[in-house]
Amino acid sequence: AATVVSPIAKSGYVNQREQTRLKNEAKEDHPNMPSQLILANRYIKGSITQSKSSQVVTPRKNADRKMRNALPLPISPPPTPINGHTYGIGEFLHHHSNEGGGFISKAHSKPYTYVKAGQSTIYRMIKAHKDGRKFAFDEPWNKEGRTPLLNHAEVDVAAEALAQ
């Protein structure tokens, strides 16, 4: 049965194919000598070359895509919230406008975790603020990132109205 080879050959397969080709050439040139000895002598003399079909062309590294080993910028710890635990939306937006983008990751990550909302909620509130929405300094974060239909006071009023 024929061996099916994928279009992209693995490096082990390519290396094995190249070694087999070299051994066969060595056997043809010197049938009475062991092929490993012939290959070792050729390697020492530097006469082993790869065939055109087995040469691997490595792509040129693109400097723009290459990750640079830059030093991390020092980001100061976020200021402690006024209530001591978590930022309100307005307080967070105030600090964010002064500190910049690194502030989000610092305020959202350990050991600080001054914002309990997810990053999508944070970015949604930043966009709403840029679009002109005003937030109270101590306004709480919505758990789902959506504006609730009623706040607690309005729910109490609606419940009393239904009870009458």
Side-chain angles (χ1 to χ4, degrees):
T3 305
V4 178
V5 180
S6 68
I8 301 172
K10 293 183 178 179
S11 63
Y13 170 77
V14 173
N15 290 338
Q16 186 178 11
R17 186 179 63 192
E18 182 65 19
Q19 288 297 321
T20 304
R21 183 188 67 80
L22 290 173
K23 284 180 185 178
N24 290 339
E25 286 179 2
K27 289 264 188 199
E28 288 173 6
D29 293 343
H30 304 283
N32 296 333
M33 292 180 65
S35 59
Q36 293 295 339
L37 180 62
I38 298 168
L39 291 177
N41 288 336
R42 286 184 181 177
Y43 180 76
I44 293 169
K45 292 177 185 176
S47 62
I48 292 182
T49 58
Q50 291 183 337
S51 65
K52 287 273 188 188
S53 63
S54 64
Q55 287 180 352
V56 178
V57 178
T58 57
R60 199 174 87 209
K61 290 183 180 177
N62 190 346
D64 296 335
R65 291 185 182 177
K66 185 178 177 184
M67 294 286 290
R68 290 184 172 80
N69 295 331
L71 295 173
L73 295 174
I75 299 174
S76 60
T80 307
I82 289 181
N83 68 4
H85 301 292
T86 58
Y87 289 123
I89 297 176
E91 183 179 7
F92 175 82
L93 293 171
H94 171 74
H95 291 304
H96 174 262
S97 63
N98 294 340
E99 300 281 334
F103 176 74
I104 295 173
S105 60
K106 274 289 190 183
H108 192 259
S109 64
K110 292 181 180 180
Y112 308 108
T113 58
Y114 293 146
V115 178
K116 303 292 185 194
Q119 282 192 335
S120 60
T121 303
I122 293 171
Y123 285 113
R124 196 177 303 119
M125 295 304 161
I126 291 171
K127 182 170 181 346
H129 179 67
K130 285 181 181 176
D131 291 344
R133 183 171 171 201
K134 302 290 183 193
F135 293 98
F137 200 71
D138 59 346
E139 186 172 335
W141 294 87
N142 298 326
K143 287 193 181 248
E144 298 298 321
R146 299 177 189 91
T147 306
L149 297 174
L150 300 171
N151 61 25
H152 293 294
E154 293 169 336
V155 170
D156 292 339
V157 171
E160 288 177 8
L162 288 174
Q164 293 177 359

XYZ file of all heavy atoms in Angstrom, residues 6 10 26-27 32 35 44 54 57-58 64 66 73 81 87 96 117 119 121 126 132 138 140 145 147 154 161:
198
model
N 0.813 14.130 3.493
C 0.067 15.376 3.459
C 0.814 16.385 2.587
O 2.025 16.264 2.386
C -0.110 15.935 4.872
O 1.131 16.345 5.393
N 6.010 17.084 7.314
C 6.609 17.449 8.595
C 8.129 17.444 8.467
O 8.694 16.804 7.591
C 6.166 16.469 9.671
C 4.695 16.556 9.967
C 4.350 15.618 11.092
C 2.883 15.734 11.421
N 2.505 14.827 12.498
N 25.488 7.494 -1.585
C 26.730 6.926 -1.052
C 26.879 5.470 -1.471
O 27.975 5.015 -1.819
C 26.751 7.053 0.465
N 25.804 4.701 -1.452
C 25.847 3.288 -1.858
C 26.192 3.146 -3.339
O 26.906 2.223 -3.733
C 24.498 2.620 -1.593
C 24.201 2.400 -0.148
C 24.584 1.007 0.225
C 24.105 0.745 1.637
N 24.766 -0.347 2.251
N 30.953 -1.001 -1.580
C 31.581 -1.891 -0.601
C 31.764 -1.248 0.773
O 32.099 -1.939 1.731
C 32.940 -2.377 -1.105
C 32.792 -3.216 -2.361
O 31.753 -3.848 -2.578
N 33.822 -3.216 -3.195
N 27.472 3.036 4.389
C 26.988 4.361 3.991
C 27.204 5.410 5.086
O 27.464 6.576 4.800
C 25.521 4.294 3.602
O 24.743 3.824 4.690
N 32.617 15.722 6.969
C 33.883 16.323 7.433
C 34.528 17.136 6.320
O 35.022 18.245 6.539
C 34.837 15.233 7.946
C 34.269 14.612 9.224
C 36.227 15.788 8.199
C 34.981 13.368 9.684
N 14.785 19.498 -1.734
C 14.679 19.334 -0.291
C 15.135 20.574 0.481
O 15.083 20.579 1.692
C 15.504 18.128 0.165
O 16.862 18.368 -0.097
N 13.082 26.913 2.231
C 13.233 28.354 2.124
C 12.518 28.980 3.304
O 11.317 28.786 3.484
C 12.631 28.877 0.798
C 12.755 30.377 0.706
C 13.303 28.198 -0.374
N 13.266 29.692 4.126
C 12.644 30.354 5.267
C 12.196 31.742 4.850
O 12.923 32.451 4.156
C 13.634 30.468 6.443
O 14.790 31.172 5.994
C 14.029 29.107 6.956
N 8.043 44.651 10.996
C 6.834 45.244 11.555
C 6.037 44.226 12.370
O 5.378 44.581 13.342
C 5.948 45.805 10.442
C 6.629 46.956 9.715
O 7.495 47.595 10.326
O 6.291 47.207 8.550
N 7.303 41.520 13.874
C 8.120 40.896 14.909
C 7.843 41.572 16.253
O 7.775 42.783 16.356
C 9.594 41.034 14.540
C 10.520 40.322 15.489
C 11.960 40.460 15.018
C 12.895 39.815 15.998
N 14.271 40.016 15.616
N 6.538 49.973 30.292
C 6.420 51.312 30.837
C 5.932 51.218 32.275
O 5.009 50.468 32.573
C 5.419 52.137 30.011
C 5.830 52.404 28.569
C 4.698 53.098 27.835
C 7.077 53.241 28.520
N -9.962 54.199 45.806
C -11.289 54.810 45.643
C -11.712 55.564 46.901
O -11.249 55.279 48.005
C -12.207 53.613 45.398
C -11.321 52.499 45.009
C -9.999 52.757 45.632
N -14.491 51.733 42.600
C -14.776 53.004 41.946
C -16.236 53.049 41.509
O -16.778 52.038 41.069
C -13.925 53.171 40.678
C -12.460 53.412 40.912
C -11.516 52.560 40.362
C -12.016 54.500 41.635
C -10.166 52.779 40.547
C -10.677 54.735 41.837
C -9.758 53.862 41.288
O -8.423 54.083 41.484
N -9.572 57.697 34.697
C -9.189 57.177 33.383
C -8.771 58.309 32.451
O -7.812 58.189 31.706
C -10.340 56.388 32.758
C -10.056 55.941 31.360
N -10.518 56.630 30.267
C -9.330 54.903 30.876
C -10.106 56.021 29.177
N -9.388 54.976 29.517
N -16.652 45.256 37.356
C -17.287 45.031 36.053
C -16.274 44.453 35.067
O -15.065 44.597 35.242
C -17.849 46.336 35.510
N -14.371 43.991 31.281
C -13.755 44.990 30.415
C -14.724 45.506 29.357
O -14.675 46.674 28.992
C -12.508 44.428 29.752
C -11.333 44.405 30.692
C -10.022 44.116 29.983
O -10.015 43.507 28.922
N -8.939 44.546 30.574
N -17.869 46.008 29.735
C -18.694 47.004 30.417
C -17.911 48.301 30.587
O -18.455 49.391 30.373
C -19.129 46.477 31.796
O -19.826 45.256 31.612
C -20.022 47.475 32.501
N -17.088 53.963 28.864
C -16.185 54.996 28.329
C -16.766 55.569 27.047
O -16.766 56.788 26.829
C -14.776 54.408 28.097
C -14.107 54.096 29.433
C -13.909 55.360 27.284
C -12.816 53.310 29.318
N -21.376 61.698 25.401
C -22.037 62.802 26.090
C -22.839 62.410 27.310
O -23.437 63.276 27.954
N -20.296 58.545 42.166
C -20.391 57.271 42.883
C -21.437 56.334 42.277
O -21.913 55.416 42.944
C -20.704 57.519 44.357
C -22.012 58.277 44.549
O -22.537 58.828 43.561
O -22.498 58.312 45.691
N -23.078 53.264 40.726
C -22.600 51.873 40.724
C -22.544 51.292 39.313
O -23.253 51.728 38.417
C -23.644 51.141 41.582
C -24.867 51.964 41.457
C -24.408 53.392 41.280
N -23.833 45.311 32.494
C -23.367 46.338 31.576
C -24.499 47.050 30.874
O -24.283 47.858 29.997
N -28.257 49.321 31.167
C -28.989 50.214 32.045
C -30.218 49.466 32.556
O -30.985 48.932 31.750
C -29.423 51.480 31.279
O -28.266 52.048 30.679
C -30.071 52.477 32.205
N -37.533 52.949 42.354
C -38.657 52.833 41.424
C -39.349 51.477 41.541
O -40.565 51.380 41.393
C -38.176 53.054 39.990
C -37.715 54.479 39.726
C -36.998 54.631 38.392
O -36.454 53.620 37.889
O -36.984 55.753 37.866
N -47.595 50.354 44.500
C -48.747 50.663 43.637
C -49.512 49.393 43.288
O -50.744 49.391 43.219
C -48.278 51.386 42.381
